[in-house]
Amino acid sequence: MTTLPRRGVLKSLPLAAGAVLAASPTSARAVSRREDEHVFPQPETRRTPPRRNCLTTQLTVRFSEQVLPGVGTVLVRTYEGGVPGPTLRVRPGNNLEITQINALPPNTAGGHEDINVPHHFNTFNLHTHGMHVDPTGEADNVFRAFEPAEEPGGTTSHRTRLTVPAGHPAGTFWYHPHHHGSTATQVLNGMAGVIIVEGDVDEVPEIAAARDVVVCVNELRLERGRVPDLTSEGAFEGIAPTFLVNGAKNPVLTIAPGEVQRWRIVHAGALTPLSLRLDGHAMHRIAQDGITLMAPVASSTVALPMGGRADVLVRGGEPGTYELITDGVDRPLMTLVVTGPARDMSLPAALPGRATDLPEPTRTRHVAFRSYSNVFSGAFPNAYRILGDGETPHADPSAGQRDLAWGRFSPDYVNHRIRLGEVEEWTVSNGSHSHHHHPFHLHTHHFLLTAVDGRPLATPVWHDTLAIPPRGTITFRLRAEDFVGRSMLHCHQLQHEDQGMMQIVEYVG
């Protein structure tokens, strides 16, 4: 088989967010002041206090009127009154305790016989995307449901407690709601925030000297100043995406000639992949999905599926104005202005990356993402299924594609049991006819990409979210460690996930 060079793969593949500090302002006027047009906006940061090992904080979810620079006044569901929510900074060995207040109105009445019909848009929970933490109990447990109060104006309180393992990788992660049925709607409102785990890579001298910049990209689908709820298959079709960087449309960031900055790029969108290019500059990738590489990789394009992240180093070029653009969007995501006295900063030659030498697998699995159009009656006619090994069985085999259960999420069916310490090799295919954007996301553990369309990579790459090429395959190895209990894998095109393109993974000892 032909071997793909690592640099080429990184360029071409969709590679794959104590004490409570002051809360983000919730008024439109305060938000507008915070994001002055002459200052590149950064989310509020909450971090573990010095000499303590616990970040204790609160996230209130409510409808909030926002004045978004470049967009106008909108009413959206938010964390702490901002898009995005606060950035949470922790260290390996820390605890993270979050009190979540549901201040959304009651859900509208009405039952749902099919769990895979979007519903309960004011119910949420919390997923710490990409983090290697306990998926059970009060931790990264996406089977929980944080319901709103039964009466208008009321609130309910819910708690998340995480322990960041002492050996957790330093990197960029994010948080977002993950209640099945409401995830896409809420993320398209801007409910997302960045999590940064500080550690060894931050101490590399060239990285420590660089300005650390959060670049959180939110995708909103706005119609008359609001995001419609996902009440039909085409609810978001025909609504052009509004992309924001740290809550602003096309904000301006300055850099000096020769200055090096570290950009933590988080794709916190739900529906649209990104293919990022920066005029006149290379982006030197130092981490993918929170996992540090062995050395920087210069890329002209950084392709990110929904949920993917990339840490890149950018060195200012000749004085001038440059744009960060993506395919399919007619205006830049942000603008970089190179100005001021020249500086002489360098890039690191080596990085404390994670080893890629997993042994030969003792088990293999084959999984297929498939979507079928117009097979059901009602407002949601399309079927989004995960088939192959571990597929959810038919409830009525005679129904064929019209079977409501076959290959779709079931809260009572465990699709895969994965034994801790055992190395597995998975091949995941995308054979859908009309819905090509199927990013594969695995909770709790990263996986090591070893081949694309059957062609081995010269150097494997760690991911937690990765787009499956249309009509193609990805092959990866996985070794689960540390945690037992039920978790998830699913499509991170979140409308597909809400409509059933999700499976239960149980990690067993």
Side-chain angles (χ1 to χ4, degrees), residues 251-326:
V252 176
L253 175 64
T254 60
I255 190 172
E259 178 191 356
V260 174
Q261 296 183 355
R262 176 190 189 172
W263 295 2
R264 299 178 183 266
I265 306 174
V266 178
H267 185 0
L271 305 180
T272 308
L274 298 176
S275 182
L276 302 173
R277 298 181 301 282
L278 179 61
D279 292 344
H281 293 75
M283 290 180 281
H284 302 268
R285 199 185 320 247
I286 62 171
Q288 191 65 54
D289 287 351
I291 302 298
T292 304
L293 305 178
M294 291 296 193
V297 176
S299 303
S300 59
T301 299
V302 173
L304 292 177
M306 298 74 80
R309 288 95 59 218
D311 285 36
V312 301
L313 298 179
V314 174
R315 180 159 50 191
E318 294 296 321
T321 299
Y322 305 89
E323 295 179 338
L324 181 70
I325 60 175
T326 186

Side-chain angles (χ1 to χ4, degrees), residues 382-395:
N382 296 345
Y384 300 94
R385 297 187 165 106
I386 303 178
L387 305 177
D389 294 348
E391 67 183 48
T392 306
H394 288 272

Side-chain angles (χ1 to χ4, degrees), residues 83-363:
V83 178
T87 295
L88 308 179
R89 280 186 173 262
V90 295
R91 300 185 295 272
N94 284 177
N95 294 318
L96 176 58
E97 298 187 358
I98 305 173
T99 299
Q100 292 152 92
I101 305 299
N102 190 338
L104 295 170
N107 288 304
T108 56
H112 294 272
E113 295 181 3
D114 183 357
I115 188 66
N116 296 309
V117 169
H119 59 284
H120 284 80
F121 302 112
N122 293 330
T123 299
F124 60 89
N125 55 29
L126 189 73
H127 174 43
T128 52
H129 186 122
M131 294 193 70
H132 179 57
V133 293
D134 190 344
T136 67
E138 290 186 332
D140 187 32
N141 184 349
V142 297
F143 295 92
R144 303 168 76 193
F146 300 168
E147 301 283 2
E150 295 182 359
E151 299 296 329
T155 64
T156 59
S157 179
H158 313 270
R159 183 171 58 186
T160 293
R161 289 182 170 181
L162 298 172
T163 296
V164 183
H168 196 286
T172 304
F173 308 91
W174 67 299
Y175 62 90
H176 63 86
H178 207 292
H179 173 258
H180 185 58
S182 61
T183 305
T185 296
Q186 292 168 357
V187 171
L188 288 169
N189 273 256
M191 281 182 64
V194 177
I195 301 177
I196 294 172
V197 180
E198 301 173 339
D200 54 1
V201 65
D202 308 313
E203 299 169 4
V204 174
E206 295 87 350
I207 295 175
R211 179 181 174 187
D212 194 322
V213 182
V214 170
V215 180
C216 184
V217 182
N218 292 93
E219 174 191 8
L220 277 61
R221 293 291 177 107
L222 294 167
E223 187 175 57
R224 295 186 292 275
R226 298 189 66 162
V227 177
D229 293 340
L230 182 55
T231 54
S232 68
E233 190 80 47
F236 301 130
E237 295 177 5
I239 304 175
T242 297
F243 286 103
L244 306 176
V245 172
N246 299 337
K249 197 169 185 179
N250 189 19
V252 176
L253 175 64
T254 60
I255 190 172
E259 178 191 356
V260 174
Q261 296 183 355
R262 176 190 189 172
W263 295 2
R264 299 178 183 266
I265 306 174
V266 178
H267 185 0
L271 305 180
T272 308
L274 298 176
S275 182
L276 302 173
R277 298 181 301 282
L278 179 61
D279 292 344
H281 293 75
M283 290 180 281
H284 302 268
R285 199 185 320 247
I286 62 171
Q288 191 65 54
D289 287 351
I291 302 298
T292 304
L293 305 178
M294 291 296 193
V297 176
S299 303
S300 59
T301 299
V302 173
L304 292 177
M306 298 74 80
R309 288 95 59 218
D311 285 36
V312 301
L313 298 179
V314 174
R315 180 159 50 191
E318 294 296 321
T321 299
Y322 305 89
E323 295 179 338
L324 181 70
I325 60 175
T326 186
D327 293 342
V329 179
D330 60 2
R331 62 180 295 171
L333 296 183
M334 58 183 275
T335 297
L336 181 69
V337 175
V338 181
T339 185
R343 301 179 64 181
D344 185 17
M345 298 179 67
S346 58
L347 301 173
L351 298 167
R354 177 186 285 189
T356 58
D357 55 351
L358 286 182
E360 291 297 311
T362 57
R363 175 169 183 167

Side-chain angles (χ1 to χ4, degrees), residues 7-25:
R7 185 178 300 270
V9 169
L10 284 170
K11 285 184 178 181
S12 62
L13 270 181
L15 297 173
V20 180
L21 303 186
S24 298

